């Protein structure tokens, strides 16, 4: 049991905010989507993920009061791996370069699932936090981004099955500190996952003919 | 009356007691019902009033007397248009009904009253409201606000008043979310801000409004929109606007969206407004672009020019944001390019070694300064060459040596010098001027200049030159080069109303510039700012002479058309006298001695008149001594004068005694023609009348110098006297003369020299061949004057120097070409330029030119013989202009 727990911590360390940057996508192995609206969905998603990433620091600042919970502090965040496991915060789905074994559909599905996961985690902590105005706006942006990702999924003729993430987070938030740590860890993980989405979207845009750098 | 009150109180008391006793069973005396309490405005209303039998107010009455009222107004049977009533017995009481055919009030209270003991008691009532069902909400529009908190503001038009409380609700449907929302609004609110959670930025949302009141409901048209496409962005920011190295004609624009909208990383519509510092246009041309938030190059700009830029953005079809902040940038400089329009005027005598030149220039439409600090270089040769001037002005005056036929004008800035513009130097030539120049005001700050075109193949165009008359500095002179086919131009640069300008039109010929015609003009006139002060110049018993100063130029405000003097005596008899505009004086005559008068001056321009201040005048009294002297002198002096005159006429002796015969050299024939020709010119200098020209074709010495002939060994071909062919056909008058070979001729040292001339009454070339000319001959014992050709002014040269050659030839005034001179002399009434035995003859030419607006310029042609020994020649006086 202890061995398994230790393994879980190691796995979490690799996922929660410290995932290695994705390789730059060449786009050669991607899939071309013929739907003329697809590139609009990609552009909209690029806008929205940028909006989410820009909103995270402000949201973190308004919700997290603990001075030890710093958004971009690698050292401090390493110390929270146990808490992450203990609180039952699932790791985000993996995003990587499009390849034969990682198709566009898979990529989009992972994006959708990841967004849904973070949406549910934030929903779990929201009732326990004060000053949730920014958090609500962030959740709305995540919702909007999810809609665009799901549209892309439909465009690649994949079935969208959105299921609420099964998480026991709400039940484990026994105290304010746990709430603060849970919100902090969720935002840190969302930031990392969002950066992966940016790379994935750039890859998808390249594959689909938009050579103009979005400037992200 | 008192008994009635007591009875009523008793009944109320009884009713109260009964009521107290049977509290549970209490019921009102009457009940009023209407078909509806809210009705459509103008619709009928029916109401009934059921009065119970046991109502104390009707007890004992066979039938109650019921009165209906709408607010304060009774509805009786007499007035059926307002309402009619009816009453009938019903079970348990009496029923009275009222019918109002058209309920026109938006709100009214209908009351039912019973008449009891001559008192009207209200037993019941109903409040009725009238209005209209809501109209369909119009003009539904939504605007997304992307500044936090993000909202979607929807609003619609208020619509007509329904007179009833109307509630609106906003309904949204987001299909991507499968979500419908309804937002209820307080009554009569016509806008609502949908919160961020209520819309998806990039998903269509269907929105409509529902209006509900007591009479019905209405739903607006459904609006389908994408919130992002309905967003009005905050004004973007211009971060940098500057030139990059070696990027000529380009400026790099760095910009960004506002802080809260930086997340929009995809393309947006960008509109760029560029404006140069010199741009007169209020609305610069926008440059629409679709770009991402990245720096962009704006190219095809003018070199060395400062641009001001501002931008605005929109997303797809959304509203444009407000304009950003302004930022300025300067493009890299380059050497100026393009031609400069120029106007070169040569003045001064052609005989002078250096010509005075005024050169004006302006940038052509093709000219590009390409830099800020522009200066101009005028040089004799292409730069680098001898520079005549370097200036930042657009005018340069310099002196140019004879023989220079062109100058070069180039522009220079920090980056280099433009290609020079070659400007030909045309010496002054006697070429025809344009005619019928006219200037018409064209708006308040423009003048339309018109003239009659010159029908000549050698015309290449015209130059219109104008200058403010109150500025003497030549830098204020402006010009425009006009095509040869054009005969009018609108000038507006520096033209201001109520200020005088001089406009001149010069014809450009292939080989020179013609005479100008000038005219003064105002674009708009008004009454003068000041009136002149009257001054008494001379006072007499019967008249007073008044004078006044000219009004300063800038205070005239127009061309003075008249001076009018109003004067009156003590009895108030007003008289008016007009004065000539150019005289500025007037004599008030017919006045009485020792009388007081008052006067004022009224000065008028084309735009109005102004009265001067009033002055008091007094005539002198008559002097009795002066009267006596006048009477005596006229009574004695006049008869005496008559007697003497008669005696003188009758007596030759007396005549010889008083006027002895003295030989008069002035009456020689040569004096006659001298007097009739050269002296005749003299009055022209003092006279502004058109000169009456006499054309002198030839002046000959009839007796050639013998010594000269002898010295040459009888070879007459070397003597200029015998080169008659050099003097064209006119030389025949010399060759054909019998005195040419007169052996008695000894030149200057002889006692007598014969002279002769031919005098025409019209230009030589225009004379018919058969016309006989006056041929005058004269002799003089006076030696001929000779002088050195170079030193004309030295008196020593006139003395005792033998004549080397005697020659007569004809030239055009101020022109080298003999043929041209004759031709032009014909056209302009030009008298000839003469050289006679190296005797200088001065000749000037001008032409009379009268401006239409009262300004006159006299250009009179005449020639003067000067220093011609043996003739009484008067030195000419300068012209008066």
């Amino acid at each position: 049991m202890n061995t398994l727990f230790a393994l879980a911590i190691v796995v979490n360390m690799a996922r929660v905010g410290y995932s290695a940057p994705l390789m730059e996508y060449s786009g050669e192995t991607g899939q071309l989507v013929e739907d003329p609206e697809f590139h609009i969905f990609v552009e909209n998603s690029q806008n929205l993920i940028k909006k989410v990433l820009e909103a995270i620091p402000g949201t973190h600042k308004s919700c997290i009061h603990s001075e030890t919970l710093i958004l971009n502090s690698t050292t401090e965040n390493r110390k929270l791996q146990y808490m992450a496991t203990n609180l039952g915060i699932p790791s985000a789905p993996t995003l990587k370069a499009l390849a034969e074994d990682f198709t566009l559909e898979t990529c989009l599905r992972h994006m959708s699932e990841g967004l849904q996961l973070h949406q549910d985690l934030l929903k779990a902590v929201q009732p326990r936090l004060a000053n949730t105005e920014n958090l609500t706006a962030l959740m709305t942006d995540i919702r909007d981004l999810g809609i665009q990702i799901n549209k892309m999924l439909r465009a690649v003729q994949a079935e969208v099955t959105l299921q609420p993430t099964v998480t026991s987070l709400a039940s484990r938030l026994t105290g304010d500190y746990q709430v603060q740590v849970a919100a902090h860890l969720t935002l840190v993980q969302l930031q990392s996952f969002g950066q992966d989405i940016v790379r994935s979207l750039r890859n998808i845009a390249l594959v689909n003919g938009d050579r103009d750098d979005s400037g992200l | 009356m008192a008994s009635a009150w007591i009875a009523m109180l008793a009944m109320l008391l009884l009713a109260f007691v009964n009521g107290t006793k049977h509290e549970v069973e209490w019921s009102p005396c009457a009940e009023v019902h209407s078909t509806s309490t809210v009705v459509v405005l103008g619709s009928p209303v029916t109401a009934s009033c059921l009065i119970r039998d046991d109502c104390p107010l009707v007890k004992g009455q066979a039938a109650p007397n019921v009165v209906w009222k709408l607010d304060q107004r009774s509805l009786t049977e007499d007035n059926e248009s307002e309402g009619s009533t009816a009453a009938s017995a019903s079970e348990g009481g009496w029923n009275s009904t009222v019918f109002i055919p058209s309920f026109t009030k938006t709100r009214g209270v209908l009351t039912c009253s019973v008449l009891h003991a001559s008192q009207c008691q209200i037993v019941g009532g109903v409040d009725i409201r009238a209005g209209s069902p809501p109209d369909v909400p119009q003009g539904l529009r939504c605007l997304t606000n992307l500044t936090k908190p993000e909202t979607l503001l929807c609003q619609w038009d208020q619509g007509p008043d329904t007179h009833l409380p109307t509630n609106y609700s906003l309904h949204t449907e987001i299909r991507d979310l499968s979500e419908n929302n309804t937002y209820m609004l307080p009554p009569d609110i016509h806008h609502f801000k949908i919160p961020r959670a209520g819309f998806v930025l990039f998903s269509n949302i269907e929105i409509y409004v529902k209006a509900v009141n007591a009479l019905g409901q209405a739903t607006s048209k459904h609006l389908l929109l994408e919130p992002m496409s309905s967003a009005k962005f905050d004004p973007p920011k211009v971060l940098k606007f500057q030139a990059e190295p070696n990027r000529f004609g380009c400026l790099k624009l760095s910009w960004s969206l506002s802080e809260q909208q930086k997340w929009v990383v995809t393309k947006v519509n960008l509109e760029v407004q560029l404006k140069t510092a010199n741009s007169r246009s209020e609305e610069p041309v926008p440059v629409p672009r679709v770009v991402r938030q990245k720096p962009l190059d704006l190219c095809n700009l003018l070199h060395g020019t400062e641009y001001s830029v501002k931008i605005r953005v929109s997303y797809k079809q959304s509203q444009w944001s407000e304009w950003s902040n302004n930022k300025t940038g300067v493009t890299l400089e380059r050497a100026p390019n393009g031609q400069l329009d120029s106007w070169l005027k040569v003045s001064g005598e052609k005989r002078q070694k250096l010509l005075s030149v005024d050169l004006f220039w302006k940038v052509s439409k093709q000219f590009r300064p390409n830099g800020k600090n522009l200066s101009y270089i005028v040089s004799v040769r292409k730069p680098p060459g001898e520079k005549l001037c370097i200036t930042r002005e657009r005018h340069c005056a310099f002196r140019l040596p004879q023989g220079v036929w062109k100058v070069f004008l180039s522009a220079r800035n920090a980056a280099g010098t433009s290609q020079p513009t070659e400007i030909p130097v045309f010496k002054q030539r006697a070429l025809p001027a344009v005619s019928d120049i006219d200037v018409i005001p064209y708006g308040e700050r423009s003048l339309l200049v018109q003239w009659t075109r010159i029908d000549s193949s050698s015309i290449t165009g015209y130059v219109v030159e104008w200058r403010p008359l109150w500025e003497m500095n030549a830098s204020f002179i402006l010009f425009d080069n006009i095509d040869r086919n054009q005969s009018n131009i609108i000038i507006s640069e520096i033209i201001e109303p109520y200020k005088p300008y001089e406009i001149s039109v010069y014809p450009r010929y292939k080989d020179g510039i013609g005479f100008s015609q000038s005219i003064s003009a105002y674009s708009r006139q008004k009454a003068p700012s000041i009136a002149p002060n009257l001054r008494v110049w001379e006072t007499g018993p019967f008249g007073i002479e008044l004078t006044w100063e000219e009004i300063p130029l800038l205070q005239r405000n127009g061309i003075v058309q008249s001076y009018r003097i109003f004067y009156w005596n003590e009895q108030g008899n007003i008289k008016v006298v007009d004065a000539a505009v150019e005289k500025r004086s007037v004599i008030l005559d017919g006045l009485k001695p020792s009388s007081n008068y008052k006067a004022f001056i009224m000065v008028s321009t084309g735009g109005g008149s102004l009265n001067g201040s009033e002055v008091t005048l007094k005539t002198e009294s008559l002097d009795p001594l002066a009267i006596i002297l006048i009477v005596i002198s006229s009574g004695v002096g006049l008869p005496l004068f008559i007697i003497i005159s008669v005696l003188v006429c009758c007596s030759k002796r007396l005549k010889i005694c008083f006027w002895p015969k003295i030989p008069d050299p002035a009456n020689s024939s040569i004096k006659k023609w001298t007097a009739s020709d050269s002296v005749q010119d003299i009055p022209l200098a003092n006279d502004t009348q058109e000169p009456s020209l006499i054309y002198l074709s030839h002046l000959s010495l009839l007796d050639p110098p013998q010594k000269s002939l002898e010295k040459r060994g009888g070879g007459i071909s070397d003597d200029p006297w015998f080169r008659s062919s050099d003097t064209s056909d006119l030389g025949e008058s010399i060759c054909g003369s019998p005195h040419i070979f007169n052996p008695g001729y000894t030149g200057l040292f002889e006692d007598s020299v014969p002279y002769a001339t031919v005098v025409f009454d019209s230009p030589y070339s225009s004379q018919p061949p058969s016309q006989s000319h006056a041929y005058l001959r004269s002799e003089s014992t006076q030696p001929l004057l000779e002088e050195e050709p170079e030193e004309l002014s030295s008196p020593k040269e006139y003395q005792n120097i033998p004549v080397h050659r005697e020659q007569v030839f004809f030239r055009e005034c101020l022109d080298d070409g003999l043929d041209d001179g004759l031709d032009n002399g014909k056209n302009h009434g030009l008298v000839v330029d003469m050289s006679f035995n190296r005797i200088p003859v001065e000749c000037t030419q001008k032409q009379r030119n009268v401006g239409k607006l009262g300004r006159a310029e006299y250009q009179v042609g005449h020639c003067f013989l000067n220093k011609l020994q043996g003739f009484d020649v008067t030195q000419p006086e300068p012209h008066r202009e």
Side-chain angles (χ1 to χ4, degrees):
Chain A
M1 183 64 190
N2 286 337
T3 311
L4 282 175
F5 195 75
L7 186 63
I9 290 172
V10 172
V11 170
N12 263 318
M13 283 177 67
R15 291 182 309 197
V16 183
Y18 312 108
S19 55
L22 293 177
M23 289 172 61
E24 278 301 315
Y25 298 131
S26 68
E28 290 169 3
T29 54
Q31 295 178 2
L32 193 65
V33 182
E34 290 183 357
D35 189 339
E37 285 192 315
F38 187 80
H39 81 277
I40 298 174
F41 302 146
V42 174
E43 281 194 352
N44 293 345
S45 303
Q46 286 176 324
N47 284 327
L48 285 167
I49 191 58
K50 175 86 172 171
K51 192 169 191 286
V52 167
L53 287 172
E54 284 190 357
I56 287 173
T59 308
H60 189 276
K61 192 177 178 182
S62 64
C63 297
I64 313 298
H65 309 299
S66 173
E67 291 179 3
T68 55
L69 302 176
I70 302 165
L71 184 64
N72 293 316
S73 172
T74 312
T75 316
E76 291 299 320
N77 290 335
R78 275 195 189 128
K79 298 174 186 171
L80 297 170
Q81 297 311 308
Y82 176 79
M83 285 289 290
T85 310
N86 204 19
L87 289 169
I89 296 174
S91 57
T94 310
L95 291 176
K96 58 182 184 179
L98 296 180
E100 285 182 5
D101 60 340
F102 193 79
T103 61
L104 176 61
E105 183 188 335
T106 311
C107 180
L108 292 170
R109 198 175 293 285
H110 282 201
M111 281 189 211
S112 178
E113 288 170 2
L115 290 170
Q116 183 65 44
L117 167 69
H118 290 94
Q119 180 92 342
D120 291 339
L121 289 172
L122 292 172
K123 202 179 281 180
V125 295
Q126 186 189 25
R128 307 288 298 272
L129 288 168
N131 299 328
T132 56
E133 194 177 319
N134 286 343
L135 185 62
T136 308
L138 177 66
M139 289 166 67
T140 311
D141 291 337
I142 295 169
R143 177 202 70 185
D144 288 4
L145 177 57
I147 290 171
Q148 296 300 315
I149 301 292
N150 291 337
K151 282 183 179 179
M152 282 192 274
L153 265 175
R154 285 191 201 97
V156 295
Q157 296 169 345
E159 192 179 338
V160 179
T161 50
L162 283 176
Q163 290 180 352
T165 314
V166 179
T167 172
S168 55
L169 178 63
S171 60
R172 298 187 188 191
L173 299 174
T174 52
D176 282 348
Y177 182 70
Q178 282 78 3
V179 172
Q180 291 274 301
V181 170
H184 168 75
L185 289 174
T186 306
L187 289 173
V188 168
Q189 182 171 275
L190 176 62
Q191 191 176 41
S192 175
F193 183 68
Q195 284 158 355
D196 284 350
I197 291 178
V198 168
R199 296 186 189 98
S200 296
L201 288 172
R202 188 188 297 150
N203 181 214
I204 293 166
L206 275 171
V207 170
N208 284 277
D210 187 358
R211 297 272 162 188
D212 193 358
D213 187 10
S214 65
L216 288 170
Chain B
M1 184 72 186
S3 59
W5 274 106
I6 291 165
M8 194 173 72
L9 284 172
M11 277 190 288
L12 287 173
L13 188 62
L14 184 64
F16 176 76
V17 172
N18 288 337
T20 308
K21 198 186 285 179
H22 312 285
E23 218 168 35
V24 183
E25 297 170 4
W26 184 86
S27 57
C29 187
E31 286 180 4
V32 178
H33 299 281
S34 73
T35 49
S36 174
T37 55
V38 181
V39 296
V40 176
L41 200 64
S43 63
V45 171
T46 304
S48 62
C49 181
L50 181 63
I51 302 165
R52 292 159 55 95
D53 282 337
D54 55 353
C55 178
L57 294 173
V58 297
K59 261 191 178 171
Q61 293 182 15
N65 196 355
V66 179
V67 175
W68 286 93
K69 279 187 178 178
L70 181 60
D71 293 335
Q72 299 299 322
R73 196 172 180 85
S74 295
L75 304 172
T76 61
E77 291 178 2
D78 300 336
N79 191 357
E80 289 187 358
S81 63
E82 289 187 359
S84 60
T85 58
S88 61
S90 66
E91 191 178 344
W94 288 91
N95 189 20
S96 172
T97 58
V98 64
F99 175 73
I100 301 171
S102 175
F103 196 88
T104 53
K105 298 182 91 172
T106 55
R107 188 167 196 167
V109 177
L110 196 60
T111 54
C112 172
S113 307
V114 174
L115 198 62
H116 174 76
S118 71
Q119 285 291 318
C120 203
Q121 293 296 317
I122 297 170
V123 293
V126 62
D127 187 6
I128 297 175
R129 298 190 71 167
S132 54
D135 273 18
V136 173
Q138 301 287 339
L140 175 63
R141 55 207 178 271
C142 297
L143 188 71
T144 309
N145 169 36
L146 292 178
T147 308
K148 287 177 181 173
E150 293 156 339
T151 53
L152 179 61
L153 170 67
C154 290
Q155 48 193 336
W156 51 97
D157 299 336
Q158 190 169 353
D161 188 6
T162 61
H163 307 292
L164 298 171
T166 304
N167 290 306
Y168 293 93
S169 56
L170 191 69
H171 302 260
T172 63
E173 183 183 347
I174 305 168
R175 285 183 192 140
D176 286 340
L177 276 181
S178 304
E179 186 178 294
N180 294 337
N181 287 312
T182 300
Y183 305 96
M184 299 303 297
L185 277 63
D188 296 321
I189 296 295
H190 304 94
H191 57 85
F192 183 72
K193 280 183 182 174
I194 301 172
R196 174 68 182 90
F199 60 93
V200 177
L201 280 174
F202 293 99
S203 293
N204 284 343
I205 181 169
E206 194 173 321
I207 304 170
Y208 62 93
V209 178
K210 194 182 274 185
V212 180
N213 70 9
L215 293 175
Q217 65 177 38
T219 304
S220 73
K221 281 184 182 174
H222 290 217
L223 185 68
L224 187 67
L225 58 90
E226 185 196 65
M228 264 306 280
S229 300
S230 301
K232 182 178 180 179
F233 280 56
D234 293 340
K237 286 186 286 188
V238 177
L239 306 173
K240 282 183 188 173
F241 190 52
Q242 59 191 25
E244 301 257 290
N246 297 321
R247 292 280 290 159
F248 291 99
C250 291
L251 287 170
K252 178 159 269 186
L253 170 70
S254 302
W255 67 283
S256 73
L257 293 170
S258 71
E259 283 298 320
Q260 294 198 18
Q261 288 148 24
K262 272 186 177 174
W263 56 269
V264 181
V265 291
T266 52
K267 289 178 180 174
V268 293
N269 304 315
L270 180 72
E271 206 167 64
V272 180
Q273 273 194 351
L274 277 173
K275 193 177 175 184
T276 61
N278 300 327
S279 174
R280 292 179 182 174
S281 171
E282 292 296 322
E283 287 298 326
V285 179
V287 185
R289 289 162 187 268
V290 181
V291 290
R292 298 182 193 276
Q293 283 186 72
K294 291 162 77 177
L296 66 151
D297 281 334
L298 301 176
C299 289
N300 297 321
L301 308 178
L302 298 172
H303 302 290
T305 306
E306 184 177 278
Y307 282 90
S308 166
V309 71
K310 58 182 179 179
I311 57 172
R312 62 178 181 176
V313 292
S314 73
Y315 185 84
K316 293 183 180 174
Q317 295 81 34
S318 75
Q319 264 188 39
W320 286 105
S321 71
E322 299 300 319
W323 287 102
S324 71
N325 56 319
N326 265 316
K327 207 99 178 173
T328 56
V330 183
T331 51
L332 296 178
E333 286 198 6
R334 277 204 152 173
N337 64 350
Q339 293 288 300
L340 294 159
D341 287 340
S342 62
W343 166 223
L344 184 141
K345 286 204 295 187
V346 177
S347 57
E349 288 295 328
K350 194 179 175 184
R351 294 190 186 92
Q352 293 172 347
K353 285 184 180 175
L354 294 173
L355 294 171
S356 295
V357 176
D358 278 300
L359 179 61
F360 305 90
W361 60 88
K362 63 179 184 178
V363 296
S364 65
K365 284 179 183 170
Q366 294 77 32
F367 182 81
R368 294 284 174 265
N370 294 342
K372 272 187 169 177
N373 298 320
L374 200 65
S375 59
Y376 300 93
I377 304 166
V378 182
S379 56
V380 177
R381 290 177 196 84
K382 286 188 179 179
E386 185 190 346
K387 293 179 178 61
L388 293 168
C389 58
I390 302 171
T391 178
R392 290 184 183 276
E393 304 289 325
R394 293 185 178 177
H395 160 252
C396 180
F398 51 87
R399 294 177 76 79
L400 202 60
Q402 291 277 8
V404 176
W405 296 101
K406 57 191 172 187
V407 293
F408 295 91
L409 172 65
S410 49
R412 185 173 69 180
N413 63 16
T417 307
S418 71
Q419 285 293 317
T421 304
E422 188 177 307
I423 302 168
V425 179
F426 290 116
K427 306 290 189 301
Q428 191 75 22
R429 282 177 180 270
L431 297 170
V434 297
S435 55
D436 301 330
I437 181 173
D438 192 12
V439 176
I440 302 165
Y442 196 84
E444 199 167 72
R445 293 177 181 273
S446 299
L447 292 167
L448 172 63
V449 186
Q450 296 175 316
W451 61 92
T452 302
R453 280 203 303 264
I454 295 172
D455 190 16
S456 167
S457 60
S458 60
I459 278 283
T460 59
Y462 303 92
V463 180
V464 174
E465 177 193 282
W466 67 98
R467 69 180 184 92
L469 272 174
W470 69 96
E471 290 286 359
M472 292 298 113
N473 193 336
S475 62
F476 287 93
I477 294 178
L478 297 173
F479 71 95
D480 213 341
N481 290 318
I482 311 296
D483 187 72
R484 67 193 298 270
N485 298 319
Q486 205 174 329
S487 62
N488 61 60
I489 181 182
I490 294 167
I491 57 173
S492 53
E493 203 173 344
I494 73 161
I495 301 293
E496 292 179 31
Y498 317 122
K499 290 190 175 174
Y501 296 88
E502 184 183 66
I503 297 107
S504 304
V505 179
Y506 293 79
R508 273 188 195 270
Y509 291 88
K510 283 176 184 167
D511 50 356
I513 306 292
F515 286 117
S516 70
Q517 270 220 342
S518 300
I519 194 167
S520 299
Y522 286 79
S523 63
R524 178 165 285 190
Q525 298 187 52
K526 64 179 180 182
S529 301
I530 60 165
N533 291 320
L534 286 177
R535 285 187 304 172
V536 177
W537 183 253
E538 199 172 348
T539 308
F542 301 106
I544 295 173
E545 184 173 1
L546 298 173
T547 62
W548 56 90
E549 296 293 328
E550 204 168 25
I551 304 171
L553 195 60
L554 279 176
Q555 292 174 307
R556 281 181 215 166
N557 302 332
I559 295 169
V560 175
Q561 293 180 338
S562 70
Y563 293 107
R564 179 166 285 189
I565 314 296
F566 296 83
Y567 62 100
W568 60 95
N569 56 16
E570 288 170 334
Q571 287 74 43
N573 297 324
I574 298 175
K575 289 185 179 176
V576 179
V577 60
D578 287 328
V581 172
E582 66 275 11
K583 277 184 71 178
R584 298 197 308 279
S585 71
V586 70
I587 296 172
L588 310 181
D589 50 9
L591 308 181
K592 290 179 182 173
S594 301
S595 300
N596 284 326
Y597 290 86
K598 286 191 174 177
F600 71 84
I601 188 169
M602 183 177 83
V603 56
S604 300
T605 66
S609 302
L610 182 72
N611 293 339
S613 54
E614 202 175 279
V615 293
T616 304
L617 312 168
K618 186 172 185 181
T619 52
E620 287 184 350
S621 58
L622 279 175
D623 185 1
L625 183 64
I627 295 168
I628 293 165
L629 283 174
I630 290 167
V631 170
I632 291 171
S633 61
S634 58
V636 177
L638 190 63
L640 192 66
F641 178 75
I642 291 167
I643 291 163
I644 291 170
S645 300
V646 170
L647 283 173
V648 166
C649 290
C650 297
S651 171
K652 277 193 174 181
R653 279 189 179 179
L654 272 174
K655 193 176 179 182
I656 290 169
C657 181
F658 283 109
W659 293 285
K661 277 194 174 179
I662 299 168
D664 182 12
N667 285 330
S668 69
S669 60
I670 193 67
K671 178 61 186 173
K672 283 176 186 171
W673 75 256
T674 304
S676 63
D677 288 345
S678 59
V679 179
Q680 194 174 14
D681 286 331
I682 295 168
L684 297 174
N686 298 322
D687 195 350
T688 57
Q689 298 299 313
E690 196 71 29
S692 171
L693 301 174
I694 287 181
Y695 295 86
L696 174 62
S697 74
H698 194 91
L699 178 64
S700 305
L701 286 178
L702 297 182
D703 198 348
Q706 183 64 31
K707 283 184 180 177
S708 176
L709 293 172
E710 287 170 3
K711 277 181 185 175
R712 289 174 178 83
I716 58 171
S717 61
D718 291 334
D719 195 305
W721 272 99
F722 302 106
R723 281 190 240 124
S724 58
S725 59
D726 292 343
T727 60
S728 74
D729 55 345
L730 298 169
E732 289 175 10
S733 61
I734 300 171
C735 299
S737 170
H739 297 275
I740 286 178
F741 302 109
N742 186 349
Y745 176 72
T746 57
L748 291 177
F749 301 103
E750 290 299 316
D751 293 334
S752 174
V753 178
Y755 298 88
T757 190
V758 181
V759 179
F760 301 97
D761 58 357
S762 62
Y764 171 76
S765 57
S766 65
Q767 289 178 24
S770 59
Q771 188 178 339
S772 61
H773 310 129
Y775 193 87
L776 303 178
R777 177 176 175 174
S778 181
E779 290 186 7
S780 173
T781 56
Q782 294 179 6
L784 287 170
L785 175 68
E786 65 178 342
E787 57 186 303
E788 283 298 315
E790 287 82 14
E791 298 297 324
L792 299 177
S793 59
S794 171
K796 285 192 288 185
E797 307 297 334
Y798 293 98
Q799 298 170 3
N800 300 326
I801 295 173
V803 175
H804 298 296
R805 62 188 179 109
E806 294 86 15
Q807 186 177 4
V808 178
F809 55 91
F810 293 80
R811 289 181 11 177
E812 180 201 355
C813 288
L814 302 174
D815 193 81
D816 289 334
L818 177 65
D819 296 338
D820 290 348
L822 287 171
D823 187 39
N824 292 322
K826 175 186 69 179
N827 290 335
H828 298 293
L830 179 69
V831 186
V832 295
D833 179 11
M834 302 170 67
S835 292
F836 182 77
N837 195 17
R838 298 191 180 182
I839 295 172
V841 178
E842 289 187 5
C843 183
T844 59
Q845 178 178 3
K846 284 201 171 181
Q847 188 177 19
R848 187 181 176 203
N849 178 14
V850 181
K852 286 199 171 180
L853 295 178
R855 181 180 168 81
E857 183 177 307
Y858 298 100
Q859 296 180 327
V860 185
H862 61 242
C863 289
F864 297 99
L865 290 169
N866 189 17
K867 299 175 184 173
L868 188 60
Q869 193 173 22
F871 300 99
D872 183 12
V873 179
T874 309
Q875 184 70 21
E877 291 180 5
H879 291 281
R880 192 189 77 179
E881 285 193 9

